[in-house]
Amino acid sequence: MTIVQSTVYEPLTEQKATALAVRLGLFRDGAPLVCREIGDGNLNLVFHIVDQETKQGVIIKQALPYAKVVGESWPLTLKRAVIESNALRTFASYVPQYVPNVYYSDESLAITVMEDLSRLQIARKGLIEGKTFPLLSRHIGEFIAKTAFYTSDFGMNQQEKKKLAQSFVNPELCKITEDLVFTDPFFDHDTNNFEDELRPDVETLWNDDRLRLEAAKLKRKFLTEADVLLHGDLHTGSIFASTDETKVIDPEFAFYGPIGFDLGQFFANLLLNALSRPDVERQPLFDHIDRTWDVFASIFSELWRTKSIETYAATPGLLDEVLRHAFIDAVGFAGCEVIRRTIGLAHVADLDGIEQKEARLAAKRHALRLGRRLIVERNELTGTDGFRRVFAETE
Ligand code: SR1
Ligand code: MG
């Protein structure tokens, strides 16, 4: 469905969202509708509208002109709603099974109307409850492999790729990541947010020249490598899951960037969950990391060998080089994400939800040591086993 310019922007209320759903003909006449605003993320409003008789529902997601997590003092482009709906449609052309259906979008209202996924659970919430979602890594590995390959110069015509990359130029949302993931946590910046007890550990990070140099190299990659179309914010809060289904949502940060970035963010959020669990319950998280990488590498390699349109694709050694760099970068990006979710602006419930203070501080100190080692030693990890080893060595 195309994007329609129709209305002047105003933030929706539950009543207005319901009226809009009726106007769009999303429900039968006279349906008894109930609408609730359920957005618990950092940026947007999310309306869940359900017909009480049929139990059929839809989601209307609306971007606010500011970052909800901070307030109106942090203005934010509404264009991210167009990026999000276009990214969902682009991903759907390669992996429809892993994204919600988009029914309608309206650029001027900054809304995306999409499939109700309430049969599933946000993966972060489920993981915190101790669920394991056995197919999560298989599905995410396939999602990343296919979207990365088909949007790269190896899976897509060079002219088409440039046009697609242009349509996903996303400077304001990228700036959030550049600041909050790659910069602020490594400096004494006022966006940082951590318990006073962590200050000595944080100051050690801020005075670590080796770490700062490696974080700078990773930021430079993020700034300059327009390799593949990324989701751009692939943490476990951007994934709905059940025992047999997985859906990736919220690609408002989508842009052309380094192939290892989505992998790294996903790995990091699995590690953040592992940090919140007792040792004996961590294995499923490490297994997910192994499987994500194995599935990604195997599907990406198969596509490269069978579907590549680039003359150099068959050159011995090139695929290995691409995979090797994707892995090293993913390890480094994971380290940055672990650190920023611990001391930066946007935390995760996995760590903040540890009720007992000493246990929470211990997990956060572990996170800082783990994140640092992943960044500075990323070239030395020869496989996903390295995550287990570094995790144990930094305990
Ligand atoms: C101001 S936005 C903070 C964070 O929320 C989003 O989900 C991204 O992860 C961003 O860094
Ligand atoms: Mg989000």
Side-chain angles (χ1 to χ4, degrees):
M1 181 166 300
T2 49
I3 293 167
V4 182
Q5 289 273 4
S6 61
T7 333
V8 174
Y9 179 84
E10 60 169 345
L12 294 174
T13 59
E14 290 175 347
Q15 289 75 13
K16 285 178 179 165
T18 310
L20 177 64
V22 170
R23 220 166 47 243
L24 292 173
L26 295 169
F27 294 97
R28 69 208 159 91
D29 282 347
L33 301 179
V34 170
C35 175
R36 276 195 318 126
E37 201 282 307
I38 56 167
D40 62 353
N42 292 322
L43 301 176
N44 306 294
L45 297 174
V46 180
F47 297 94
H48 183 210
I49 307 169
V50 182
D51 179 331
Q52 293 303 292
E53 272 170 25
T54 64
K55 305 295 174 204
Q56 302 288 332
V58 296
I59 291 292
I60 299 182
K61 178 170 175 183
Q62 184 180 42
L64 287 166
Y66 54 87
K68 198 169 78 178
V69 66
V70 174
E72 295 186 31
S73 62
W74 187 338
L76 203 54
T77 178
L78 293 173
K79 288 205 182 104
R80 66 190 195 272
V82 178
I83 295 272
E84 172 159 345
S85 52
N86 286 343
L88 286 173
R89 291 183 179 103
T90 305
F91 294 150
S93 67
Y94 308 121
V95 280
Q97 67 277 36
Y98 299 136
V99 284
N101 278 320
V102 174
Y103 304 135
Y104 175 79
S105 55
D106 182 321
E107 181 169 1
S108 50
L109 271 179
I111 57 164
T112 307
V113 182
M114 63 190 128
E115 184 182 352
D116 175 9
L117 298 174
S118 55
R119 65 183 181 280
L120 310 177
Q121 185 182 25
I122 286 291
R124 185 185 308 285
K125 286 196 182 132
L127 291 171
I128 289 171
E129 288 167 13
K131 294 188 182 139
T132 49
F133 302 122
L135 296 180
L136 179 67
S137 39
R138 199 171 296 281
H139 292 166
I140 295 298
E142 182 178 355
F143 171 86
I144 299 177
K146 289 190 172 164
T147 55
F149 176 78
Y150 283 117
T151 62
S152 77
D153 283 296
F154 290 77
M156 174 177 272
N157 167 278
Q158 178 268 356
Q159 296 286 307
E160 293 306 312
K161 185 210 161 184
K162 294 280 189 288
K163 279 190 219 143
L164 191 66
Q166 208 165 29
S167 75
F168 282 103
V169 170
N170 195 357
E172 288 191 45
L173 280 281
C174 283
K175 176 81 169 100
I176 291 178
T177 307
E178 290 152 22
D179 290 346
L180 297 188
V181 178
F182 291 109
T183 313
D184 299 357
F186 302 95
F187 293 83
D188 185 0
H189 197 282
D190 58 10
T191 59
N192 290 324
N193 172 25
F194 51 85
E195 289 99 327
D196 288 342
E197 292 85 343
L198 292 177
R199 179 157 285 275
D201 309 85
V202 175
E203 286 183 350
T204 303
L205 277 192
W206 289 340
N207 290 318
D208 187 331
D209 290 341
R210 187 168 165 216
L211 174 65
R212 195 172 274 183
L213 172 61
E214 297 309 319
K217 290 181 194 168
L218 289 160
K219 178 176 179 183
R220 184 168 177 276
K221 268 187 175 290
F222 184 86
L223 287 164
T224 57
E225 270 185 26
D227 191 4
V228 302
L229 180 64
L230 294 170
H231 176 282
D233 196 27
L234 194 54
H235 56 82
T236 47
S238 297
I239 300 169
F240 268 107
S242 69
T243 44
D244 47 21
E245 223 186 332
T246 306
K247 297 276 185 185
V248 172
I249 60 164
D250 277 6
E252 65 202 311
F253 284 75
F255 79 112
Y256 259 79
I259 187 169
F261 186 72
D262 282 349
L263 285 163
Q265 290 227 311
F266 184 57
F267 290 161
N269 282 271
L270 295 171
L271 292 170
L272 287 160
N273 186 263
L275 284 160
S276 75
R277 292 186 181 206
D279 197 29
V280 291
E281 292 169 26
R282 286 171 176 158
Q283 195 52 39
L285 282 314
F286 291 114
D287 292 345
H288 272 321
I289 293 179
D290 295 339
R291 203 169 311 112
T292 305
W293 175 258
D294 291 347
V295 169
F296 163 79
S298 128
I299 294 178
F300 189 87
S301 301
E302 178 65 12
L303 291 171
W304 180 287
R305 281 190 284 265
T306 58
K307 299 265 194 300
S308 192
I309 57 170
E310 162 59 47
T311 315
Y312 272 116
T315 309
L318 184 59
L319 172 60
D320 288 346
E321 175 78 358
V322 169
L323 289 176
R324 195 171 70 83
H325 278 284
F327 183 73
I328 293 169
D329 295 348
V331 174
F333 292 139
C336 295
E337 173 74 357
V338 166
I339 288 177
R340 77 95 170 209
R341 293 294 190 183
T342 309
I343 60 169
L345 175 86
H347 287 202
V348 288
D350 312 59
L351 290 184
D352 280 0
I354 302 173
E355 278 175 21
Q356 214 266 324
K357 188 171 182 184
E358 279 316 311
R360 186 172 67 251
L361 291 173
K364 289 187 177 188
R365 289 190 179 104
H366 186 183
L368 295 181
R369 293 189 295 269
L370 171 64
R372 179 191 177 278
R373 288 273 302 271
L374 293 178
I375 294 170
V376 299
E377 292 175 23
R378 64 192 185 284
N379 286 292
E380 288 142 46
L381 263 69
T382 49
T384 49
D385 253 7
F387 284 105
R388 275 186 194 76
R389 179 179 53 78
V390 176
F391 193 101
E393 288 172 5
T394 49
E395 182 113 48

